Amino acid sequence: MNIDFFKPIDFEEFLESLEKSPSLLGNQINTYVKGEDFPNLEQVKVAIFGVVENRRDSKADKEYFDFTAIRKEFYQLHSGNWDINIADLGDIIAGDSVDDTYFAVKSVTFELLKRNIIPIILGGSQDLAYAQYRAYDDYGSMVNYVNVDAKFDLGNTDAPITSTSYVGKMVVNEPYNLFNYSNLGYQTYFNSQEEIGLLEKLYFDAYRLGEVANNISIVEPVFRNANMATIDISCIEGAVLGNRNISPNGFNGREICALARYAGISDELSSFGLYHLDYLEKSKNSTMLVSQILWYFIEGVIYRKNENNLAAKNNFLKYQVPVQDDILVFYKSNLSGRWWIEIPYSANFNNKLEKHTLLPCTYQDYEEACNQTIPERWWKARRKNEL
């Protein structure tokens, strides 16, 4: 780990608030403090760091990154019944160029992934998610990416990367590691029909804001299959954040925390980014909400079921459902009650993926199959495998 990338935290203003109770997170997190050594990463499960960068965001009209205020609220939360080691590595300061910042984020994220540490990235502009994604380049496997955002961020792939085109760059730039992109909470009026059509053509997943808000549990299987996830803070209601410049429609506080917990509880998810924090106003309400999003993500990590190992899968119940000309194979976990559906092997199957793939699904998908309706996610996954 190149510690020269990081600026340590001035911890003085935190000390008085942390004297209330030893169970406060600030007393338990191994923090990179000014004047002290860099945290020992042995036995660490989650590592937090900020990135002070927003130069490729056309909306950025300020360089205000109040990660200190977010940390102050986060450190004052109680940890709950957690048995986990957390480190706070400080902040990556913007490099001489944006590409320099990308390199630092990619390098740090890769190093943490290699150590089986889950990085939580506090951003700056969301094009930093591209650097987060590129950290997976050397792993030899495809990436499933879930983005909680009002926009798809496909953008113009012929133009230089921005905070509104980074997903398009993931699709078109080598190495081609992006297997699936899922957008949760998009608002149609913020996305062109061309982008919506392209998403469908690529067999990616998209869930409208109202669809998710009406039944938030429908997206749990989407997170369960994700390798990386990000949240654009501007997908939250402007009134909730106390920011008039953010859309009045979006997720409320309870919903966004539930989504963060779904991300944390995913056995596959290995990195998490929270971006556009520079959009936050200087209000206690907004920084408290961000700190609670972080808390719920980590709590999700605590309650992972580790159902991706062979021993757990040997205890799954298997159901075969004839549907039209196919036989759909479902699995149910005896441990959690969650469901999966098998994606059949194809001769044209992407050779970076396992031959036998289990796609997370819902009990409702199983019920629909019993009623002779093929689940849409199964159909999309199969089509991607045959391309």
Side-chain angles (χ1 to χ4, degrees):
M1 178 72 67
N2 188 345
I3 67 173
D4 293 335
F5 289 139
F6 294 100
K7 177 183 177 182
I9 297 167
D10 188 349
F11 207 63
E12 290 297 323
E13 63 179 282
F14 296 108
L15 294 178
E16 183 177 350
S17 62
L18 297 180
E19 294 175 354
K20 300 175 184 177
S21 171
S23 68
L24 294 178
L25 281 170
N27 293 318
Q28 300 180 19
I29 296 175
N30 189 0
T31 302
Y32 185 27
V33 178
K34 186 177 180 180
E36 297 186 10
D37 293 335
F38 193 76
N40 184 344
L41 296 179
E42 294 295 328
Q43 307 301 318
V44 168
K45 181 62 178 178
V46 174
I48 303 167
F49 63 91
V51 186
V52 184
E53 176 66 79
N54 67 356
R55 284 175 285 182
R56 288 184 175 163
D57 178 11
S58 59
K59 288 185 177 180
D61 58 357
K62 58 184 178 181
E63 294 184 0
Y64 168 66
F65 297 84
D66 205 348
F67 298 147
T68 300
I70 292 171
R71 284 186 170 101
K72 189 170 184 178
E73 295 297 334
F74 182 60
Y75 285 4
Q76 292 184 74
L77 299 177
H78 291 273
S79 63
N81 188 23
W82 293 0
D83 182 18
I84 190 173
N85 293 322
I86 305 170
D88 187 338
L89 309 183
D91 296 331
I92 293 177
I93 304 302
D96 292 337
S97 70
V98 179
D99 288 337
D100 290 337
T101 310
Y102 286 178
F103 176 79
V105 174
K106 175 185 174 181
S107 301
V108 169
T109 303
F110 172 77
E111 182 63 29
L112 293 172
L113 293 174
K114 190 169 66 172
R115 296 170 181 246
N116 293 317
I117 299 172
I118 301 170
I120 297 179
I121 305 169
L122 308 178
S125 51
Q126 201 168 9
D127 53 287
L128 293 167
Y130 183 78
Q132 178 185 347
Y133 162 71
R134 281 299 165 206
Y136 291 85
D137 285 350
D138 295 329
Y139 276 80
S141 60
M142 304 296 280
V143 175
N144 292 315
Y145 171 34
V146 175
N147 181 27
V148 184
D149 199 338
K151 300 178 181 179
F152 296 145
D153 294 332
L154 292 169
N156 180 2
T157 57
D158 293 327
I161 187 172
T162 68
S163 62
T164 60
S165 68
Y166 67 94
V167 175
K169 293 295 187 181
M170 292 179 183
V171 174
V172 303
N173 286 359
E174 296 183 11
Y176 304 121
N177 294 333
L178 185 65
F179 180 66
N180 192 51
Y181 170 65
S182 300
N183 175 282
L184 308 182
Y186 81 94
Q187 298 176 41
T188 307
Y189 38 73
F190 288 145
N191 299 277
S192 69
Q193 289 302 305
E194 289 77 13
E195 283 190 309
I196 294 173
L198 178 59
L199 212 70
E200 293 175 351
K201 184 178 180 181
L202 294 170
Y203 301 108
F204 289 161
D205 301 316
Y207 296 78
R208 292 181 67 173
L209 171 64
E211 185 181 7
V212 180
N214 286 336
N215 181 12
I216 203 163
S217 64
I218 64 172
V219 299
E220 182 277 327
V222 181
F223 279 111
R224 207 189 321 157
N225 206 39
N227 304 107
M228 62 173 278
T230 61
I231 294 177
D232 181 340
I233 200 69
S234 62
C235 76
I236 302 171
E237 293 177 2
V240 173
L241 293 175
N243 189 334
R244 296 178 181 177
N245 296 319
I246 291 179
S247 173
N249 285 313
F251 291 111
N252 63 33
R254 291 182 298 275
E255 291 162 350
I256 200 67
C257 287
L259 293 173
R261 192 177 190 277
Y262 280 149
I265 210 168
S266 166
D267 292 330
E268 293 286 344
L269 194 130
S270 52
S271 70
F272 181 65
L274 191 55
Y275 294 111
H276 285 310
L277 296 177
D278 54 321
Y279 286 1
L280 296 178
E281 298 294 336
K282 292 184 178 181
S283 71
K284 186 177 180 66
N285 189 61
S286 61
T287 53
M288 283 180 66
L289 178 57
V290 173
S291 71
Q292 290 167 19
I293 291 170
L294 297 175
W295 190 95
Y296 274 102
F297 174 79
I298 296 173
E299 187 192 49
V301 173
I302 299 296
Y303 288 102
R304 290 185 174 188
K305 302 295 184 181
N306 296 318
E307 291 181 317
N308 290 326
N309 60 70
L310 185 60
K313 290 178 179 177
N314 285 338
N315 292 319
F316 283 6
L317 294 176
K318 182 177 180 180
Y319 300 82
Q320 293 181 305
V321 182
V323 182
Q324 300 176 19
D325 295 329
D326 288 298
I327 296 179
L328 304 189
V329 181
F330 289 86
Y331 294 88
K332 179 183 177 182
S333 166
N334 285 322
L335 177 62
S336 66
R338 297 187 295 187
W339 288 78
W340 286 260
I341 186 172
E342 186 175 272
I343 306 301
Y345 173 72
S346 168
N348 296 322
F349 198 84
N350 191 307
N351 59 17
K352 287 188 177 182
L353 296 174
E354 297 177 2
K355 289 187 177 181
H356 302 289
T357 303
L358 294 186
L359 179 71
C361 66
T362 63
Y363 174 67
Q364 287 71 29
D365 290 323
Y366 170 72
E367 285 187 314
E368 288 180 5
C370 291
N371 292 321
Q372 299 300 293
T373 299
I374 294 178
E376 183 179 1
R377 293 191 69 236
W378 178 90
W379 181 81
K380 285 183 177 180
R382 182 170 181 176
R383 289 293 298 130
K384 280 201 290 283
N385 292 341
E386 293 173 350
L387 293 178

